């Protein structure tokens, strides 16, 4: 599979700028990461092509107007959406006009929105809920639709779909909060089917929030409690020894097939895993190598599997597909992430940079794919 290049001739400069609402924050545990990702997008979006309206979602779900200030959203500042003029989105498909209301009740028009760029991670944003709302009011948006977002967000159903599509995943089981509360011993007995270590994850959380590596049975209860504090179900997954490889996927243009990037590799210190601190705080337990040093046959197999997985969940726009490459097990798919991080050290923009599409061009590509998407 060849690495795509951005087709500049297919994207002529418009006579007037497209108005993009960049939506970020949200109610999930990944609120801060979403804000930091939005900061990177605001810093690199093509201002000659796009007018930008930054809209934050507070932790309690209010849509509020935010300052167009990328520096304020830098990750080291631990950014958060706490307030601002209330934003009223369109109430029907008959208009795309939005307004902002200040604390004194004054209302001002913000104009029509051509497309929403939802930079939301985790629940109530990456899981199809926001996408469904935008579909109801007929506002175009970048990225995945309701089905792909919901399936990929739920690790139980994602693995079910991927296995049905013939894609190899690690052995797994799902445990509900009710199962764990009713009979912990029965759950521990099921654990006996898995070799150690195992990973315990909330079924519907990303960015390694609530994830634990369990090396012995004595660590299992704490890991389950941590995961089930984030979600009503936890996924218990067998650890797979091997290299951690990630591939970016972009949707196809004009009915064409999706495109896969060169693979990148996460290189970890022994006994560690790619947790929240390694991903977003750049702690020295992990480093990234891109492109990964792999033979051409393996690269092509990873790219083909990434596209197959993307199509299996009915993906559109973008995804990052995470794999293990193991001498013993071959290529094993770990997760499909339908709104991967866009911070400066995030793998998704890194693999596309290595594949010939720069950060600003990547944002443009996602917006243009969203404008052309048929939902």
């Amino acid at each position: 599979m060849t690495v795509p290049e951005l087709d500049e001739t297919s994207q002529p400069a418009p006579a007037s700028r497209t108005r993009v609402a960049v939506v970020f924050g949200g109610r999930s545990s990944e609120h801060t990461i979403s804000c930091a990702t939005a900061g990177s997008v605001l810093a690199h979006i093509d201002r000659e092509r796009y007018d930008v309206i930054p809209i934050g979602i507070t932790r309690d779900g209010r849509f509020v107007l935010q300052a167009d200030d990328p520096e304020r959203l830098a990750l080291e500042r631990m950014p958060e959406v706490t307030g601002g003029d209330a934003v009223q989105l369109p109430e029907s498909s008959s208009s795309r006009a939005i307004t902002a209301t200040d604390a004194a009740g004054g209302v001002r028009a913000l104009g029509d929105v051509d497309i929403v760029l939802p930079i939301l991670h985790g629940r109530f944003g990456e899981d199809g809920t926001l996408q469904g709302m935008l579909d109801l009011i007929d506002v175009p948006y970048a990225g995945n639709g309701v089905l792909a977002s919901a399936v990929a967000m739920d690790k139980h159903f994602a693995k079910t779909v991927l296995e049905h599509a013939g894609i190899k995943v690690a052995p797994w089981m799902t445990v509900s909060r009710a199962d764990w509360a009713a009979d912990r011993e029965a759950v521990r007995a099921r654990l006996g089917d898995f070799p150690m270590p195992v990973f315990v994850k909330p079924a519907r959380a990303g960015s390694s929030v609530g994830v634990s590596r369990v090396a012995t049975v004595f660590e299992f209860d704490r890991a389950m409690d941590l995961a089930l504090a984030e979600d009503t179900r936890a996924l218990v997954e067998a650890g797979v020894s091997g290299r951690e490889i990630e591939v970016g996927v972009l949707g196809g243009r004009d009915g064409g097939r999706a495109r896969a990037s060169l693979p990148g590799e996460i290189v970890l210190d022994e006994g560690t895993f790619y947790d929240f601190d390694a991903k977003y705080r750049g702690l020295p337990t992990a480093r990234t190598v891109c492109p990964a040093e792999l033979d051409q046959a393996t690269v092509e197999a990873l790219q083909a599997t990434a596209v197959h997985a993307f199509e299996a969940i009915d993906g559109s726009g973008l995804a990052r597909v995470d794999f293990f490459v193991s001498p013993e097990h071959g290529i094993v798919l770990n997760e499909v992430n339908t709104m991967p991080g866009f911070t400066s050290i995030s793998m998704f923009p890194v693999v596309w940079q290595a594949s010939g599409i720069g950060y600003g061009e990547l944002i443009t590509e996602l917006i243009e794919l969203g404008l052309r998407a048929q939902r």
Side-chain angles (χ1 to χ4, degrees), residues 202-274:
R204 293 169 294 180
S207 293
S208 300
V209 173
V211 177
S212 301
R213 181 182 186 272
V214 175
T216 71
V217 293
F218 302 106
E219 301 167 1
F220 183 65
D221 283 22
R222 180 181 177 279
M224 287 295 298
D225 291 339
L226 181 66
L228 290 172
E230 292 287 336
D231 197 359
T232 58
R233 289 174 294 134
L235 192 85
V236 181
E237 185 177 64
V240 177
S241 60
R243 300 167 65 180
E244 296 200 25
I245 305 293
E246 301 185 351
V247 176
V249 179
L250 285 171
R253 300 191 196 102
D254 303 321
R257 290 201 72 187
R259 300 155 285 163
S261 73
L262 290 170
E265 180 171 11
I266 307 297
V267 181
L268 300 167
D269 290 348
E270 182 148 357
T272 64
F273 70 100
Y274 200 35

Side-chain angles (χ1 to χ4, degrees), residues 20-326:
V20 180
V22 177
V23 179
F24 58 94
R27 293 172 55 194
S28 85
S29 56
E30 300 173 73
H31 179 103
T32 295
I33 299 305
S34 172
C35 293
T37 297
S40 292
V41 169
L42 292 174
H44 293 90
I45 193 169
D46 185 348
R47 299 291 179 150
E48 293 186 359
R49 190 179 187 105
Y50 304 112
D51 284 331
V52 178
I53 304 174
I55 299 175
I57 302 177
T58 63
R59 292 184 185 273
D60 61 358
R62 291 176 292 118
F63 286 66
V64 291
L65 191 63
Q66 296 293 283
D68 191 350
D69 183 2
E71 186 175 338
R72 185 183 67 84
L73 295 171
L75 183 58
E76 57 269 20
R77 296 177 180 269
M78 297 301 289
E80 182 171 350
V81 179
T82 56
D85 292 353
V87 171
Q88 177 64 55
L89 297 176
E91 295 183 349
S92 71
S93 60
S94 61
S95 170
R96 292 180 182 167
I98 61 174
T99 60
T101 305
D102 62 27
V107 179
R108 71 183 188 279
L110 300 177
D112 289 355
V113 169
D114 295 307
I115 187 168
V116 171
L117 180 56
I119 308 295
L120 291 148
H121 305 304
R123 298 184 68 186
F124 309 112
E126 190 180 350
D127 59 357
T129 50
L130 179 68
Q131 290 78 5
M133 182 191 76
L134 294 171
D135 281 340
L136 281 172
I137 58 177
D138 197 27
V139 173
Y141 54 91
N144 287 276
V146 173
L147 178 63
S149 299
V151 168
M153 192 70 215
D154 191 307
K155 296 176 178 65
H156 170 91
F157 289 105
K159 288 184 180 291
T160 301
V161 169
L162 294 169
E163 283 187 320
H164 182 75
I167 296 171
K168 184 187 292 186
V169 300
W172 58 284
M173 68 176 183
T174 303
V175 181
S176 71
R177 191 180 286 166
D179 291 340
W180 184 239
D183 195 341
R184 293 190 171 201
E185 194 56 44
V187 175
R188 294 189 197 102
R190 294 172 64 192
L191 181 66
D193 295 333
F194 294 84
M196 292 291 176
V198 298
F199 288 86
V200 179
K201 311 173 180 181
R204 293 169 294 180
S207 293
S208 300
V209 173
V211 177
S212 301
R213 181 182 186 272
V214 175
T216 71
V217 293
F218 302 106
E219 301 167 1
F220 183 65
D221 283 22
R222 180 181 177 279
M224 287 295 298
D225 291 339
L226 181 66
L228 290 172
E230 292 287 336
D231 197 359
T232 58
R233 289 174 294 134
L235 192 85
V236 181
E237 185 177 64
V240 177
S241 60
R243 300 167 65 180
E244 296 200 25
I245 305 293
E246 301 185 351
V247 176
V249 179
L250 285 171
R253 300 191 196 102
D254 303 321
R257 290 201 72 187
R259 300 155 285 163
S261 73
L262 290 170
E265 180 171 11
I266 307 297
V267 181
L268 300 167
D269 290 348
E270 182 148 357
T272 64
F273 70 100
Y274 200 35
D275 62 4
F276 183 94
D277 287 337
K279 281 183 180 180
Y280 296 110
R281 294 177 180 151
L283 295 192
T285 56
R287 60 187 176 89
T288 59
V289 177
C290 188
E293 296 181 3
L294 296 162
D295 62 80
Q296 187 60 27
T298 302
V299 170
E300 292 177 359
L302 286 163
Q303 291 176 320
T305 306
V307 169
H308 185 192
F310 185 74
E311 293 175 344
I313 66 167
D314 194 29
S316 62
L318 77 162
R320 193 195 69 233
V321 185
D322 302 345
F323 297 95
F324 299 108
V325 177
S326 165

